[in-house]
């Protein structure tokens, strides 16, 4: 058994680690999940500037992704609809209506040129590993120059954790990164392609929540037009929620029509006698026109899941951008120095006719030695020591090129190389300024439409569902059957309720409970009290309980209020074993005790006033009314008020 347990534990840990790192949670370095990274890697590798069938792309991605083509196709469509890396041709679905994309054999895509500028694919900077079948290599993570995790957003459920990262406007993200590099303060808020309104007062830098609403045109008092959707909704799901609310009587509308094409246009016509101002709050309360979205910015960082804030992501990527640009400059500088070294060798090799010294040599070693010896007098002009590879390069120069060698052209190339090296040295000393200029340059290359914020930030006063729900459902109690609830067919109506009300009811035995507005529950005959269980209502209700001790036949009185309770739990007004004779909610009333007949007992009935006794806590014991055995009690008659009192008879 121990072996089996260890086997399960080990396999589960491996499975959990795989789901977290390789499927559900994006990597902070490039903001991509593995399937997205493999799609982009495939598009970069096969890019020729022309459109390619999505089905063809999916097939090529399968060489890197050890899963079916369905997951690749879905990820590619979602990534293409982000409008950043992939150009689309054909029907890629409609984000407004929720309609899906056409089959992969009918649609085409290609890589946008800007992708190669944002994602560095140089193997000397970006780490590569073997694919799952070791036939090729793929990037571990791209070296991204922008915080794509904030631009693209992400959502995923892993083992024991989940991530919910909202998308942000790319220009606002670039501006935040620019301000971070300059040491200025910045704030980032979500922006969605579907538009709508959002309240970011509790966003908490990516770890809190937002309230999002549909944008409505309410200029016509008899018609509401929804022009923008809240995040997470489609026109289909929103219309379904409105129709369901109307069917349940929560929203009064005559009809709803969806005229959405490339822009959202949902028309809601109202019933006769109902006006726009009467319906808007109900739409927010009972439909998808208003939603609360909870955020959790969880990413993979250093091979571990880490919860970060938007500010921390921007700070991380600012340092990463500077690091990538520095590596690129240093690699370019090293390449230029190698090129300058070779141009110097070529000039000396041709001008000084060193190639003539190899004519008499008959062995490879002799040739190498002759060339190296020929450069000894010009050692001071060389950038570094000459190597065998350098000699091999010189020996491969065609005779035609030697005879037509242009010294002026070589001089111009050397000057251009030296000028660029000088420029690189300057940039390496001013990396922050260079990073800011790079951000400015990439921002100019983005589509003009992407610069516009689509979601309007505003203050939203969340609609209280209870406040907009009218108390129009009768709560009934049937004395004969003993049932209480809104679905009880017979009996009498106690008062009007809503489905969100809490109700306190007292049974004949003196046991009371609090529950959500019941549909149909059995409490037995002899309901003593039923009323609302909110703080305001209960603060006004003073319970007066008369109970008898079966052992002594003494009667006690207890006056108290119900101030705290646990839902759906039974409570007893009297101590255990006591017999509750009467429960009253009047502030003042008279009652009489009818004593057991005994010799020398002259007074058999005695009257009392409830107001003569003080209020106590719910858990306190009652006060003994008289030190005599009580046979029955008589309570001053008063017609019970609806929802307050049912006399004990």
């Amino acid at each position: 058994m121990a072996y089996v347990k260890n086997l399960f534990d080990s396999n589960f840990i491996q499975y959990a680690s795989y789901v977290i790192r390789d499927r559900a949670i994006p990597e902070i370095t490039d903001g991509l999940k593995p399937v997205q990274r493999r799609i982009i890697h495939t598009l970069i590798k096969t890019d020729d500037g022309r459109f390619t069938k999505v089905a063809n792309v999916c097939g090529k991605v399968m060489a890197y992704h050890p899963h079916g083509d369905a997951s690749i196709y879905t990820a590619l469509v979602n990534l293409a609809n982000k409008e950043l890396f992939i150009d689309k041709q054909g029907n890629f679905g409609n984000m407004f209506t929720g309609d899906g994309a056409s089959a992969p054999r009918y649609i085409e895509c290609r890589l946008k040129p800007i992708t190669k500028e944002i994602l560095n694919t140089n193997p000397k900077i970006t780490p590569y590993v073997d694919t799952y079948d070791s036939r090729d290599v793929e990037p571990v993570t791209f070296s991204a120059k922008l915080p794509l995790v904030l631009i693209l957003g992400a959502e995923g459920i892993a083992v024991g954790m989940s991530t919910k990262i909202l998308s942000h406007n790319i220009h606002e993200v670039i501006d935040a990164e620019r301000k971070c590099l300059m040491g200025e303060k910045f704030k980032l808020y979500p922006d969605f392609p579907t538009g709508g309104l959002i309240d970011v007062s509790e966003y908490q830098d990516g770890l809190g929540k937002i309230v999002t609403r549909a944008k409505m045109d309410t200029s016509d008092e008899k018609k509401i037009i929804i022009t923008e959707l809240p995040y997470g909704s489609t026109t289909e799901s929103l219309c379904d929620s409105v129709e369901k609310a109307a069917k349940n009587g929560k929203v009064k509308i005559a009809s709803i029509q969806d005229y959405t094409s490339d822009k959202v246009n949902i028309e809601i016509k109202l019933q006769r006698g109902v006006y726009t101002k009467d319906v808007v709050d109900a739409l927010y309360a009972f439909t998808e026109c208003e939603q609360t979205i909870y955020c959790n910015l969880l990413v993979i960082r250093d091979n571990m899941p880490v919860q970060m804030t938007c500010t921390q992501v921007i700070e991380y990527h600012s340092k990463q951008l500077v690091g990538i640009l520095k590596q690129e400059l240093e690699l370019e500088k090293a390449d230029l120095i190698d090129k300058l070294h070779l141009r110097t060798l070529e000039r000396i090799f041709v001008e000084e006719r060193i190639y003539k010294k190899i004519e008499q040599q008959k062995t490879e070693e002799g040739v190498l030695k002759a060339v190296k010896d020929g450069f000894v007098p010009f050692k001071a002009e060389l950038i570094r020591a000459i190597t065998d590879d350098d000699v091999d390069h010189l020996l491969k120069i065609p005779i035609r090129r030697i005879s037509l060698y242009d010294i002026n052209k070589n001089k111009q190339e050397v000057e251009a190389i030296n000028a660029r090296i000088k420029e690189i040295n300057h940039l390496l000393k001013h990396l922050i300024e260079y990073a800011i200029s790079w951000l400015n340059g990439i921002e100019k290359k983005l589509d003009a439409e992407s610069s516009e914020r689509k979601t309007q930030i505003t203050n939203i006063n969340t609609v209280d569902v209870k406040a907009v729900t009218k108390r129009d459902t009768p709560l009934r109690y049937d004395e004969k059957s003993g049932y209480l609830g809104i679905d009880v067919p017979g009996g009498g109506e106690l008062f009007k309720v809503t489905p969100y009300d809490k109700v306190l009811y007292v049974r004949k035995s003196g046991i009371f409970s609090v529950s959500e507005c019941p549909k149909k529950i059995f409490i037995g005959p002899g309901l003593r009290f039923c009323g609302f269980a909110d703080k305001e209502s209960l603060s006004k209700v003073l319970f007066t309980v008369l109970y008898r001790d079966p052992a002594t036949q003494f009667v006690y009185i207890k006056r108290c209020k119900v101030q705290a309770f646990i839902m759906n739990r039974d409570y007893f007004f009297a101590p255990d074993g006591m017999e509750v004779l009467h429960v009253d909610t009047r502030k003042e009333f008279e009652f009489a005790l009818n004593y057991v007949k005994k010799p020398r007992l002259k007074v058999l009935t005695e009257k009392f006033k409830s107001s003569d006794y003080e209020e106590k806590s719910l858990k306190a014991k009652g006060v003994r009314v008289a030190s005599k055995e009580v046979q029955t009690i008589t309570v001053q008659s008063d017609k019970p008020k609806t929802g307050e009192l049912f006399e004990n008879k």
Side-chain angles (χ1 to χ4, degrees):
M1 288 297 292
Y3 169 76
V4 174
K5 182 180 182 301
N6 292 336
L7 183 65
F8 271 100
D9 289 345
S10 174
N11 289 343
F12 178 77
I13 291 171
Q14 290 182 28
Y15 165 73
S17 176
Y18 170 75
V19 171
I20 292 168
R21 291 181 59 254
D22 295 335
R23 288 184 66 179
I25 312 298
E27 170 70 43
I28 179 65
T29 308
D30 58 9
L32 301 173
K33 296 180 182 180
V35 64
Q36 295 173 322
R37 189 177 302 113
R38 287 160 179 159
I39 289 169
I40 293 176
H41 172 63
T42 302
L43 289 172
I44 291 174
K45 191 173 180 180
T46 61
D47 180 40
D48 59 2
R50 297 186 296 176
F51 282 101
T52 306
K53 290 282 188 184
V54 167
N56 190 14
V57 175
C58 291
K60 292 177 180 177
V61 174
M62 289 180 71
Y64 306 98
H65 195 61
H67 297 282
D69 60 337
S71 62
I72 299 171
Y73 163 67
T74 303
L76 192 152
V77 169
N78 291 335
L79 191 60
N81 285 328
K82 301 289 184 180
E83 305 286 354
L84 181 61
F85 293 134
I86 301 175
D87 267 333
K88 304 177 293 183
Q89 186 165 277
N91 175 24
F92 273 73
N94 189 320
M95 64 179 171
F96 298 129
T97 62
D99 294 336
S102 297
R105 61 185 179 275
Y106 297 127
I107 55 179
E108 297 178 325
C109 68
R110 68 180 177 190
L111 195 72
K112 287 188 176 182
I114 199 172
T115 305
K116 296 179 182 179
E117 295 189 49
I118 296 175
L119 302 176
N120 187 295
T121 58
N122 189 329
K124 295 180 180 179
I125 298 177
T126 297
Y128 282 76
V129 294
D130 289 341
T131 57
Y132 67 93
D133 59 2
S134 300
R135 285 190 170 94
D136 204 343
V137 293
E138 62 176 324
V140 178
T141 58
F142 286 114
S143 298
K145 297 176 185 175
L146 291 178
L148 300 177
V149 72
L150 296 180
I151 296 169
L152 301 176
E155 187 173 354
I157 300 174
V159 179
M161 62 185 66
S162 64
T163 185
K164 181 79 170 182
I165 307 171
L166 304 182
S167 60
H168 297 72
N169 184 281
I170 187 170
H171 288 266
E172 293 180 4
V173 171
I174 291 174
D175 186 56
E177 193 167 0
R178 188 161 44 221
K179 287 180 177 178
C180 181
L181 289 168
M182 296 168 65
E184 299 177 3
K185 293 183 179 180
F186 61 89
K187 285 187 178 181
L188 272 177
Y189 299 117
D191 186 26
F192 311 120
T194 54
L197 309 173
I198 56 169
D199 186 335
V200 295
S201 56
E202 296 184 65
Y203 186 50
Q204 297 177 19
D205 210 11
L207 298 177
K209 66 178 182 179
I210 64 164
V211 178
T212 174
R213 277 184 176 179
K215 197 171 186 179
M216 300 180 184
D217 180 357
T218 57
S219 56
D220 189 334
E221 63 179 14
K222 293 297 294 178
K223 183 171 63 177
I224 297 173
I225 298 177
I226 298 174
T227 57
E228 294 180 12
L229 297 174
Y231 172 74
S233 293
T234 63
T235 56
E236 183 179 357
S237 65
L238 191 144
C239 288
D240 288 344
S241 70
V242 174
E243 289 174 349
K244 184 178 179 181
K247 185 178 179 180
N248 294 334
K250 295 176 180 178
V251 179
K252 296 180 180 180
I253 66 170
S255 66
I256 179 170
Q257 297 293 333
D258 184 6
Y259 300 110
T260 301
S261 55
D262 58 334
K263 292 184 179 180
V264 176
N265 187 352
I266 300 174
E267 184 180 282
I268 301 174
K269 291 184 178 179
L270 307 181
Q271 296 177 358
R272 181 177 297 178
V274 179
Y275 298 94
T276 299
K277 59 183 178 62
D278 305 322
V279 178
V280 171
D281 284 348
L283 286 173
Y284 287 140
F286 301 112
T287 73
E288 286 189 7
C289 289
E290 177 180 304
Q291 296 191 64
T292 300
I293 309 295
Y294 292 88
C295 315
N296 184 31
L297 211 166
L298 185 74
V299 295
I300 300 297
R301 179 176 178 177
D302 299 328
N303 285 329
M304 293 290 290
V306 179
Q307 192 179 59
M308 301 178 71
T309 64
C310 292
T311 301
Q312 290 172 337
V313 171
I314 292 294
E315 291 172 348
Y316 177 91
H317 269 276
S318 297
K319 294 178 182 177
Q320 180 169 289
L321 172 62
V322 172
I324 294 171
L325 294 177
K326 182 181 179 181
Q327 286 179 290
E328 288 180 345
L329 290 173
E330 289 175 341
L331 286 173
E332 184 184 356
K333 181 181 176 180
D335 290 341
L336 288 172
I337 290 173
D338 282 342
K339 190 180 290 186
L340 183 63
H341 175 67
L342 292 176
R343 293 295 174 270
T344 305
L345 291 178
E346 290 172 0
R347 177 181 59 80
I348 297 172
F349 186 71
V350 175
E351 282 187 337
E352 303 301 331
R353 298 180 180 273
I354 295 176
Y355 59 87
K356 290 287 186 181
K357 298 181 180 180
I358 66 174
E359 293 177 353
Q360 305 300 323
Q361 303 298 324
K362 296 182 179 180
T363 63
E364 184 177 350
E365 291 78 7
V367 171
L368 288 173
K369 186 175 184 305
V371 173
K372 288 182 179 180
D373 291 344
F375 278 96
V376 172
F378 311 100
K379 187 176 181 180
E381 297 182 43
L382 301 180
I383 296 173
R384 57 174 170 77
I386 190 170
T387 64
D388 292 347
D389 289 337
D390 294 336
V391 174
D392 186 56
H393 170 77
L394 294 172
L395 295 176
K396 288 180 180 179
I397 298 176
I399 297 296
R400 180 182 178 86
R401 184 180 164 195
I402 293 175
S403 62
L404 298 175
Y405 186 75
D406 189 342
I407 188 65
N408 290 325
K409 184 179 178 181
N410 180 278
K411 185 178 180 181
Q412 290 173 0
E413 288 183 9
V414 169
E415 288 177 353
I417 292 171
N418 283 324
R420 179 56 184 164
I421 291 175
K422 184 179 179 181
E423 184 182 354
I424 289 174
N425 289 333
H426 175 78
L427 293 175
L428 286 170
K429 293 178 181 178
H430 302 85
L431 281 172
I432 300 297
E433 291 82 351
Y434 178 48
I436 293 171
S437 68
W438 184 90
L439 291 172
N440 294 336
I442 203 71
E443 190 171 18
K444 292 178 182 178
K445 295 179 182 179
L446 296 171
D447 296 336
E449 292 183 3
S450 64
S451 63
E452 299 176 0
R453 165 168 276 277
K454 296 179 175 63
T455 305
Q456 182 181 340
I457 297 174
T458 184
N459 292 323
I460 295 176
N461 295 320
T462 306
V463 178
D464 186 358
V465 176
K466 297 179 182 178
V468 298
T469 306
K470 294 183 178 180
R471 282 177 170 161
D472 54 4
T473 306
L475 181 69
R476 298 178 179 277
Y477 170 66
D478 190 344
E479 178 72 27
K480 293 181 180 179
S481 64
Y483 280 99
L484 171 73
I486 57 177
D487 290 345
V488 175
E493 179 182 323
L494 304 182
F495 46 87
K496 304 281 189 182
V497 295
T498 73
Y500 307 101
D501 285 326
K502 295 176 183 177
V503 176
L504 183 146
Y505 46 88
V506 184
R507 295 182 174 89
K508 184 178 180 179
S509 60
I511 294 174
F512 71 90
S513 303
V514 177
S515 68
E516 298 287 349
C517 187
K519 290 188 175 181
K520 187 177 180 181
I521 58 171
F522 180 78
I523 62 169
L527 178 68
R528 295 184 182 271
F529 171 85
C530 185
F532 294 113
D534 56 89
K535 290 184 179 180
E536 183 180 355
S537 299
L538 290 179
S539 65
K540 299 176 182 178
V541 180
L542 177 64
F543 290 95
T544 301
V545 183
L546 297 172
Y547 65 88
R548 180 169 55 188
D549 186 346
T552 62
Q553 296 293 304
F554 293 161
V555 169
Y556 296 80
I557 185 171
K558 176 179 175 181
R559 308 194 81 193
C560 62
K561 290 182 179 180
V562 177
Q563 297 177 332
F565 53 81
I566 297 174
M567 297 286 291
N568 302 312
R569 178 176 173 180
D570 290 341
Y571 295 89
F572 194 38
F573 275 119
D576 289 342
M578 300 294 107
E579 177 189 1
V580 174
L581 303 176
H582 182 72
V583 177
D584 210 308
T585 56
R586 290 174 289 177
K587 292 183 179 180
E588 295 182 8
F589 66 92
E590 293 184 359
F591 63 94
L593 301 184
N594 303 313
Y595 302 128
V596 177
K597 292 182 180 180
K598 285 190 174 183
R600 292 182 294 179
L601 183 61
K602 296 180 180 180
V603 180
L604 295 178
T605 300
E606 191 173 0
K607 292 184 178 181
F608 301 89
K609 291 183 179 181
S610 63
S611 57
D612 293 340
Y613 299 89
E614 295 181 355
E615 178 186 338
K616 292 191 174 184
S617 69
L618 181 63
K619 294 182 180 180
K621 292 183 178 181
V623 177
R624 188 169 61 187
V625 180
S627 300
K628 299 175 183 178
E629 297 179 7
V630 178
Q631 186 172 1
T632 60
I633 65 170
T634 305
V635 179
Q636 176 187 358
S637 64
D638 184 20
K639 188 177 181 181
K641 297 179 181 179
T642 301
E644 285 194 355
L645 177 66
F646 293 80
E647 284 226 39
N648 180 44
K649 297 181 179 180

